[in-house]
Amino acid sequence: MRVVHNSLHDEVAATLREEIFAGRLAPGSFVDEAALCARLEISRTPLREALKVLTAEGLLRHEPRRGCFVAEVTQRDLDEIFPVIALLEGRCAFEAARNASDADIATLTALHEKLERHARAGRINDYYATNYAIHEAIILLADNRWLAQVIGDLRKILKLARLQQLHAPGRLDQSLSEHMAVFAALRARDSEGAEAAMRTHLNRQREALREVARLSKSRIATS
């Protein structure tokens, strides 16, 4: 696969970012520069510039004299990030409820109908993609570039672990219920209600990830 773009290192960074999110570059794995150069048909210079970008985003970690490794999100990372992003996305929901037009609500209605269909069918990957689109739509409606910028940076880190929470027992239905509560407040133009519902939604994601981690440890202990 050959990468072609006016800004080659940006395109390489985008390619590697998606491979990290998809799990093709696994958490903790070594980034083999020679192999990537051969596969992407590029020189070391744009690759190394791309690795600097991903390291700055927190998706890679650089170890002197060893190279780059795909970042692993720890439980402490999640404990520290989720309260922050709950506050930030809660504020976005507050602003979105004040800003949303009837056309915006119609768009959100269609997205939530799609979300419900995926939940009922148990399509976790499709549900996650639609869930992500809903969060993006709310951030856009908030129309605050500073909020969007900080949330975007944090979401890149959380994307390494966030999908796992949907595998917690009962989480898919719970997540849908939380989303519908946020949407009901947005539709009613209830800023404070939307903010509270979004904070609850994000904090419960953290609780679900704790449950996934607990179940994983339990399975390992009994295997």
Side-chain angles (χ1 to χ4, degrees), residues 85 88-89 92 139 147-156:
I85 202 164
L88 296 173
E89 289 209 45
C92 277
I139 291 166
L147 270 176
Q149 180 177 314
V150 177
I151 290 170
D153 290 341
L154 292 176
R155 292 184 91 199
K156 287 172 185 172

Side-chain angles (χ1 to χ4, degrees), residues 19 47 81 95 124 145 147-148 152 176 218:
E19 292 192 2
L47 176 62
I81 293 172
E95 299 288 353
I124 288 179
R145 67 188 180 95
L147 270 176
L176 177 64
S218 178

Side-chain angles (χ1 to χ4, degrees), residues 115 118 124 221:
L115 191 75
H118 292 321
I124 288 179

Side-chain angles (χ1 to χ4, degrees), residues 83-115:
V84 175
I85 202 164
L87 287 170
L88 296 173
E89 289 209 45
R91 183 63 190 184
C92 277
F94 182 96
E95 299 288 353
R98 296 200 305 186
N99 295 339
S101 66
D102 289 344
D104 295 325
I105 295 299
T107 298
L108 287 171
T109 298
L111 283 170
H112 282 82
E113 288 172 350
K114 184 186 292 187
L115 191 75

Side-chain angles (χ1 to χ4, degrees), residues 165-208:
Q165 52 97 13
L166 293 174
H167 292 279
R171 177 57 191 157
L172 198 59
D173 287 340
Q174 184 187 53
S175 175
L176 177 64
S177 177
E178 292 160 13
H179 259 289
M180 298 311 290
V182 174
F183 178 53
L186 289 171
R187 188 170 50 198
R189 308 312 202 276
D190 176 3
S191 293
E192 292 182 358
E195 181 174 24
M198 182 62 83
R199 287 190 184 184
T200 296
H201 175 53
L202 270 297
N203 287 322
R204 286 183 179 167
Q205 283 187 22
R206 177 65 191 112
E207 292 170 12

